[in-house]
Amino acid sequence: MKTLVKMSMKLLVRTKIIWLFLVLMPVLSTRILKTNVAYTSFQDDIESLVDIDDADTKVAYYSTNGEYVVKVYDASGSELSDYLVDRLANSGMFVLCRVDLSGKDIDDKFINEHLDLDGHEDRMGASLYIPEDFDKKILDGNVAEALTMYVLSDDARNDALESELALQLSRLETTSIYAANEGDIVETLEKVDDMSPEKEVVSVSGSEERSLTMAQVNQKANLGYAFSFLTLGFVFAGFFIANGAIQEQKNGVITRINLTKTNMLCYFTSKFVAAFLICLVMTGVVGICSLTLDMNDLGMNLFVFLFLIFLMGLIFCTLSMFMGIIMNDVFGASVASFTLWCTSSLFSGLYFPLDTASKGIQVLSSLMPQKWFMDGAEMIFVGDNKAFSMVICITVAYIAIIVSLGSVGLKVRRSKEWGVS
């Protein structure tokens, strides 16, 4: 056994390209973990009013949970238009993405071009155009021409937006009768608003839910992207172990091993030990790279972080190794390894949340190992100590399934090779 493990490790060390995955993937994952980015797609409650910098910016990302998104082209930029947009956002029914176009030369061609882009290359419920002379039209009582609403979907909430717009514009019109300028209108309306009951939103988590803070949401998102790169490294580490086994079969090494009365169980156990050791090496590289991180920003201490990575890596390294050995083809094994990485990362929710996906997608997501490790990270964020027993049980279960299916697959392939029915 010891000799077989040494032989496997020597082959891996001599394979130069494996060091690309063992070093580069931890470095990339560490670089991602050091970024300080707010991922709006992972937030359960996004802002109801978002200021965007450019009229070409897409707003589809702000409707991740089915929110009704409204893009506002504000050419007025006045105190009155700000008040109107704030009131629409505070209604709680819409997410408004506002772009400030005040002081810019806006014509019909500009609006039509952007509406065409909004309708064909973006996703939103409606667009609002607030012209430069918005204040003047309100003060003159010409509310019907004060702004333009463009319906860009067949969403039933279009009627709710129209009703809310009509309400707010009527308030502006009524108040403008007694006010001398837009400042007086806003001041009067704000006094009325202060007398209204204040809305309070209380979030209640169910027994199976975990309520994360905004910082923890961003930590989870960073961790997901880091896990994706690390998974790639572990998957191809397993591929290189399988590649060595394939070459040994083709070169007759296994035949010579059998002549020494070493059984196949001992041989494949040595490959599993090699996978275990290579996972330790890569986890060690991650640990060295993690010394540059502030672990408070990561949401867990270094040893817990490395513990999660090692267990996840052991699953994928073992799975990739057995897939390659069963296929007994280098090209097919490489394609299978890359496919394994792509599909598992995509359907596990590493790149984007799948909470609002269909039941079928969520069931498929539950089959992916990374999904359980992301859940374990969430549990660690909120101080749930059951996370450790959960990820250990998941790891043991996956490895048991991999070894069992791998053993069956090897027996079937060898039976076909020997012509046994």
Side-chain angles (χ1 to χ4, degrees):
M1 171 69 76
K2 188 176 180 181
T3 303
L4 292 174
V5 173
K6 284 184 177 180
M7 181 177 65
S8 298
M9 293 304 296
K10 284 181 180 179
L11 288 174
L12 288 173
V13 171
R14 292 171 184 171
T15 306
K16 295 180 181 179
I17 194 172
I18 194 176
W19 292 103
L20 175 66
F21 291 96
L22 293 181
V23 176
L24 182 60
M25 295 303 108
V27 170
L28 289 176
S29 64
T30 304
R31 181 67 184 89
I32 289 174
L33 292 172
K34 292 179 71 172
T35 58
N36 186 18
V37 181
Y39 296 93
T40 56
S41 61
F42 285 86
Q43 297 173 11
D44 292 330
D45 298 310
I46 65 173
E47 298 179 27
S48 57
L49 177 58
V50 181
D51 287 308
I52 54 179
D53 298 328
D54 190 83
D56 296 327
T57 301
K58 293 186 177 182
V59 301
Y61 308 105
Y62 298 98
S63 60
T64 53
N65 291 325
E67 291 86 359
Y68 184 91
V69 178
V70 181
K71 191 172 184 179
V72 181
Y73 297 96
D74 187 1
S76 175
S78 64
E79 190 176 356
L80 203 57
S81 67
D82 285 345
Y83 175 81
L84 174 63
V85 174
D86 286 339
R87 290 305 302 174
L88 290 174
N90 289 333
S91 68
M93 295 183 288
F94 322 108
V95 174
L96 276 76
C97 298
R98 175 177 56 188
V99 55
D100 186 4
L101 300 177
S102 58
K104 298 182 180 179
D105 186 17
I106 306 299
D107 53 16
D108 292 340
K109 181 181 178 182
F110 177 89
I111 295 298
N112 291 333
E113 287 178 352
H114 282 80
L115 286 174
D116 184 66
L117 291 174
D118 292 344
H120 293 91
E121 299 184 17
D122 207 343
R123 186 179 65 184
M124 65 191 74
S127 289
L128 297 179
Y129 171 56
I130 303 176
E132 185 178 3
D133 57 349
F134 174 75
D135 292 2
K136 183 177 182 300
K137 290 180 177 179
I138 293 294
L139 290 170
D140 292 343
N142 192 9
V143 178
E145 299 179 3
L147 58 79
T148 307
M149 172 182 171
Y150 301 92
V151 178
L152 299 175
S153 72
D154 57 357
D155 196 308
R157 289 171 290 183
N158 291 328
D159 295 337
L161 177 61
E162 288 188 43
S163 299
E164 186 66 21
L165 268 175
L167 172 63
Q168 298 303 329
L169 288 174
S170 66
R171 294 180 69 219
L172 294 177
E173 182 182 21
T174 303
T175 310
S176 66
I177 298 174
Y178 310 99
N181 53 55
E182 64 273 12
D184 292 340
I185 297 176
V186 173
E187 184 179 355
T188 302
L189 289 174
E190 286 180 343
K191 289 180 179 180
V192 175
D193 296 337
D194 290 338
M195 292 185 290
S196 302
E198 185 176 353
K199 180 177 68 175
E200 181 180 1
V201 179
V202 179
S203 298
V204 180
S205 299
S207 58
E208 299 297 326
E209 296 177 347
R210 290 175 289 273
S211 181
L212 302 181
T213 65
M214 191 69 67
Q216 289 172 338
V217 168
N218 292 329
Q219 290 169 352
K220 177 186 174 183
N222 275 333
L223 200 62
Y225 290 115
F227 276 1
S228 178
F229 280 105
L230 292 172
T231 301
L232 179 63
F234 285 117
V235 163
F236 275 91
F239 161 74
F240 286 113
I241 297 174
N243 180 54
I246 293 171
Q247 298 302 321
E248 288 171 354
Q249 292 181 58
K250 292 182 178 180
N251 296 331
V253 175
I254 292 184
T255 302
R256 293 194 292 272
I257 291 175
N258 287 330
L259 293 175
T260 62
K261 297 183 179 181
T262 300
N263 57 39
M264 295 305 297
L265 177 62
C266 183
Y267 174 77
F268 286 111
T269 302
S270 70
K271 296 301 179 184
F272 179 80
V273 173
F276 182 89
L277 293 176
I278 208 70
C279 289
L280 280 178
V281 172
M282 188 167 174
T283 304
V285 176
V286 174
I288 295 173
C289 295
S290 299
L291 295 177
T292 62
L293 296 173
D294 184 352
M295 302 311 292
N296 291 326
D297 294 337
L298 193 58
M300 62 184 75
N301 65 53
L302 178 60
F303 295 104
V304 172
F305 176 59
L306 296 180
F307 177 72
L308 292 178
I309 290 174
F310 173 73
L311 293 183
M312 184 182 69
L314 189 60
I315 293 173
F316 278 98
C317 189
T318 306
L319 178 57
S320 177
M321 178 187 71
F322 272 98
M323 284 176 56
I325 293 175
I326 292 173
M327 296 183 71
N328 198 29
D329 178 72
V330 175
F331 178 76
S334 63
V335 172
S337 297
F338 187 76
T339 304
L340 169 65
W341 170 67
C342 290
T343 54
S344 63
S345 297
L346 180 64
F347 289 108
S348 60
L350 295 187
Y351 302 137
F352 44 80
L354 299 175
D355 298 333
T356 57
S358 65
K359 290 294 183 182
I361 296 296
Q362 291 188 23
V363 170
L364 184 61
S365 175
S366 298
L367 300 177
M368 306 301 160
Q370 300 103 312
K371 190 263 184 187
W372 297 101
F373 283 90
M374 291 295 289
D375 286 350
E378 278 192 16
M379 294 169 70
I380 292 170
F381 289 159
V382 299
D384 190 346
N385 293 326
K386 295 180 181 178
F388 302 102
S389 58
M390 188 268 285
V391 293
I392 291 174
C393 291
I394 287 294
T395 303
V396 173
Y398 271 107
I399 291 179
I401 293 172
I402 292 168
V403 172
S404 300
L405 294 179
S407 300
V408 173
L410 286 171
K411 287 182 179 179
V412 171
R413 184 173 64 80
R414 291 175 66 187
S415 298
K416 290 181 178 180
E417 291 176 352
W418 295 344
V420 178
S421 59

